[in-house]
Amino acid sequence: MDSRRDFLQKLGLSSIVLPFVPLSGWAESLIEPETYDGPVLRVAIMGLGGYGSRVADAMQSCVKAKLVGVISGTPSKIKNWQDKYAIPEKNCYNYQNFDQIKDNPDIDAVYVITPNALHHDQVIRVAKAGKHVICEKPMAISPKEGQEMIDACKKANVKLLVGYRMHFEPKTLEVIRMRNAGEFGKVMFFQGQCGFKIGDPTQWRLNKQLAGGGSMMDIGIYAINGSRYMIGEEPMWVTAQETKTNPQIFKEGVDETIQFQMGFPGGAVASYLSSYNINYLDRFFLSGEKGFAEMQPSTGYGPIKGRTHKGELTQPHTTHQTVQMEEMAGIILEGKEPIVPVNGEEGLKDLKIIEAIYLAAKTGKKIPLKL
């Protein structure tokens, strides 16, 4: 891992352990430049699709993380990325030969951004090559696969992180700070709505074999994860109901719309909607005995907007993937601890909940959760 000197710190977020400062201090901490002179995480991106491109572009503003390699099954994409990001030929791999990264000292970590069903095998191969892994969410298509990925990374003594970008988003972290400080009082209710009308019916997200499901695996997971970090507890049970209006597009095993409910040990109840057939769903609402928080949009690429009983959330917008990669570099290189975990165990909890939601929708029963 090398160093890059004389770069301005464009993002004032300190590595992972973000200070709980007043609102006025957030703006200053985010925009005040400082010189960074330290280790840099050298990353190869696996999967050069739309989101991979978004991450790559965002990383151009990073000082602690640098894009140095690519892994793809499409030679033309590799060539385009080489030209755009000045990636050397020796750091380019395909899906058959990327195990050879074990002999490449210029790559520290691989960010796996491929269809959900491919994560399991690809993450394990990266771990066996001795490289740290960042895996896009959902980390796998079943809890069994997720556990095997965690075990493989532990055996190889490499870190496994999951791409939960919202765990570093300033307005989200302010709501968590307020909750921790007791400013909402006892939390009584959470509502999470995540969804949109999906486009191309031939895309992999509507293929059960590649996606592992439908809207729940792609967008509903945001609401699940959001309730956990906003309430600050793990759910105890789940009930669910599925609605399917277009079985031609949403075939067997690919959920179109699911409404589900969860209960938490402190007494809070939560209501959720996950859909691939309803637009304008990107809202979180938290209600406590002393106050509330509402975020809309709550998980989009930004800017996130929110308000509480104390007024509008005013933390400045920063590109989510830039902050995410800066903070993940701090976790991997410096052992930083994030306010909200992004490790494999965090990803596994969401997979266990999703599995229970599918079971509840299928059986009509209330399913207990043990996370």
Side-chain angles (χ1 to χ4, degrees), residues 1-16 32-42 59-66 108 322 325-336:
M1 288 156 283
D2 56 15
S3 295
R4 294 161 71 187
R5 300 176 185 273
D6 303 321
F7 273 75
L8 292 178
Q9 176 76 51
K10 296 181 181 178
L11 302 170
L13 291 171
S14 63
S15 294
I16 299 308
E32 182 179 352
E34 59 183 62
T35 301
Y36 176 74
D37 179 12
V40 173
L41 184 71
R42 297 165 301 178
M59 286 183 68
Q60 303 312 298
S61 299
C62 290
V63 297
K64 293 184 178 181
K66 181 180 180 181
D108 304 313
T322 302
M325 295 308 296
E326 292 286 78
E327 299 303 306
M328 286 185 166
I331 294 173
I332 292 173
L333 300 179
E334 303 167 44
K336 300 292 185 178

Side-chain angles (χ1 to χ4, degrees), residues 14-209:
S14 63
S15 294
I16 299 308
V17 185
L18 302 177
F20 291 139
V21 297
L23 292 185
S24 60
W26 273 97
E28 295 174 6
S29 70
L30 282 168
I31 63 176
E32 182 179 352
E34 59 183 62
T35 301
Y36 176 74
D37 179 12
V40 173
L41 184 71
R42 297 165 301 178
V43 179
I45 289 181
M46 179 187 296
L48 311 185
Y51 193 71
S53 296
R54 184 179 291 273
V55 172
D57 289 341
M59 286 183 68
Q60 303 312 298
S61 299
C62 290
V63 297
K64 293 184 178 181
K66 181 180 180 181
L67 174 63
V68 300
V70 294
I71 302 169
S72 174
T74 307
S76 60
K77 286 185 179 180
I78 293 177
K79 180 64 168 62
N80 291 339
W81 278 51
Q82 280 188 273
D83 295 341
K84 184 174 182 179
Y85 302 112
I87 295 171
E89 182 69 31
K90 65 183 180 65
N91 291 353
C92 298
Y93 301 87
N94 58 45
Y95 294 129
Q96 287 71 47
N97 69 11
F98 74 81
D99 306 271
Q100 296 173 13
I101 60 173
K102 69 179 186 298
D103 300 317
N104 190 334
D106 295 334
I107 296 174
D108 304 313
V110 175
Y111 194 160
V112 177
I113 312 178
T114 55
N116 305 338
L118 305 181
H119 294 175
H120 172 265
D121 291 350
Q122 291 170 340
V123 166
I124 290 175
R125 287 173 64 186
V126 171
K128 288 181 177 178
K131 305 299 182 180
H132 300 294
V133 192
I134 303 170
C135 181
E136 194 45 45
K137 61 84 195 158
M139 65 182 285
I141 61 172
S142 72
K144 178 179 181 292
E145 285 194 354
Q147 186 63 60
E148 289 172 354
M149 293 157 68
I150 291 170
D151 293 343
C153 289
K154 286 183 177 178
K155 182 178 180 180
N157 196 30
V158 298
K159 291 189 182 296
L160 170 59
L161 306 182
V162 183
Y164 289 116
R165 57 186 169 81
M166 301 311 300
H167 291 198
F168 309 109
E169 196 281 317
K171 293 183 178 69
T172 300
L173 289 173
E174 173 61 11
V175 171
I176 293 170
R177 184 202 67 77
M178 292 178 68
R179 198 261 342 278
N180 285 336
E183 295 182 32
F184 301 122
K186 182 181 178 181
V187 176
M188 304 299 296
F189 176 69
F190 174 87
Q191 184 180 54
Q193 301 173 343
C194 293
F196 57 88
K197 277 186 173 290
I198 198 163
D200 180 10
T202 66
Q203 63 182 281
W204 69 262
R205 288 176 179 83
L206 296 174
N207 181 322
K208 172 70 160 58
Q209 283 65 46

Side-chain angles (χ1 to χ4, degrees), residues 176-313:
I176 293 170
R177 184 202 67 77
M178 292 178 68
R179 198 261 342 278
N180 285 336
E183 295 182 32
F184 301 122
K186 182 181 178 181
V187 176
M188 304 299 296
F189 176 69
F190 174 87
Q191 184 180 54
Q193 301 173 343
C194 293
F196 57 88
K197 277 186 173 290
I198 198 163
D200 180 10
T202 66
Q203 63 182 281
W204 69 262
R205 288 176 179 83
L206 296 174
N207 181 322
K208 172 70 160 58
Q209 283 65 46
L210 288 175
S215 70
M216 187 62 60
M217 299 297 286
D218 180 29
I219 193 74
I221 190 173
Y222 281 108
I224 294 169
N225 195 255
S227 66
R228 292 175 52 230
Y229 61 65
M230 287 184 72
I231 295 173
E233 296 177 353
E234 301 296 0
M236 301 184 300
W237 55 262
V238 61
T239 57
Q241 307 79 40
E242 181 176 4
T243 301
K244 186 171 292 191
T245 64
N246 193 335
Q248 287 73 40
I249 295 178
F250 305 100
K251 295 179 173 60
E252 181 67 26
V254 178
D255 48 289
E256 174 188 325
T257 299
I258 294 184
Q259 299 174 79
F260 58 104
Q261 303 77 39
M262 294 201 291
F264 292 78
V269 291
S271 174
Y272 311 78
L273 178 60
S274 168
S275 181
Y276 263 166
N277 201 32
I278 305 173
N279 278 332
Y280 312 116
L281 296 181
D282 187 5
R283 178 178 179 267
F284 288 170
F285 178 77
L286 183 79
S287 178
E289 291 183 331
K290 296 181 181 178
F292 74 91
E294 180 180 38
M295 308 186 77
Q296 185 176 17
S298 56
T299 64
Y301 294 142
I304 300 301
K305 295 183 180 179
R307 64 189 181 100
T308 74
H309 58 288
K310 293 190 172 182
E312 184 180 357
L313 297 173

